[in-house]
Amino acid sequence: MSFNTFGHLFRVTTFGESHGVAIGCVVDGCPPLIPLAADDIQRDLDRRRPGQSRFTTQRQEPDTVKILSGVMPHPESGVQVTTGAPIAPTSPMKPNTACATIAAAAVPPRARPRRALRPARLRARSYPR
């Protein structure tokens, strides 16, 4: 069984896979009327984006965050604030255009070393032995 939920006061549940349609989380336990906009989260996504230094991969993988639920404009000030409902920020995944599709198709369907694919498949009991 995999555990994707963490925390007690703020419960965070993650979802999505690398190369999937989207990744994101659901944050439960946030009180209402806290100012929160997608730009607040976007700054952190931009900090972790690859291609920022010569020591990381030079692939350009832009992430754009979108908050699906849990925030609304305040009726008086118009500032986006939390509603008290679970907050669901997500980032739609774009196809990775940095790799050659022919070379990727030639790779055997085996898990690469130091990746999470093999443990995930073992947990789901779908890994070819």
Side-chain angles (χ1 to χ4, degrees):
M1 175 191 256
S2 65
F3 297 100
N4 296 324
T5 302
F6 308 93
H8 295 285
L9 294 176
F10 285 96
R11 299 212 30 102
V12 178
T13 303
T14 60
F15 63 86
E17 303 87 25
S18 178
H19 307 293
V21 176
I23 58 170
C25 67
V26 176
V27 180
D28 195 9
C30 187
L33 301 177
I34 295 178
L36 179 67
D39 292 339
D40 299 330
I41 301 168
Q42 187 66 49
R43 281 192 293 267
D44 289 323
L45 280 178
D46 291 343
R47 277 191 12 218
R48 61 147 294 278
R49 188 178 69 226
Q52 300 285 327
S53 78
R54 65 185 180 121
F55 300 109
T56 63
T57 180
Q58 294 303 303
R59 290 190 315 255
Q60 295 300 314
E61 297 176 349
D63 292 328
T64 306
V65 70
K66 181 177 181 180
I67 300 178
L68 299 179
S69 67
V71 293
M72 292 185 79
H74 191 275
E76 296 171 3
S77 65
V79 174
Q80 193 160 340
V81 295
T82 59
T83 62
I87 302 165
T90 184
S91 179
M93 303 293 282
K94 294 176 178 62
N96 188 354
T97 58
C99 65
T101 56
I102 296 172
V107 175
R110 295 179 54 196
R112 297 184 304 176
R114 293 180 178 77
R115 299 293 194 270
L117 182 60
R118 185 171 188 275
R121 286 184 177 170
L122 286 173
R123 278 196 306 266
R125 300 184 197 283
S126 65
Y127 191 76
R129 295 179 190 255

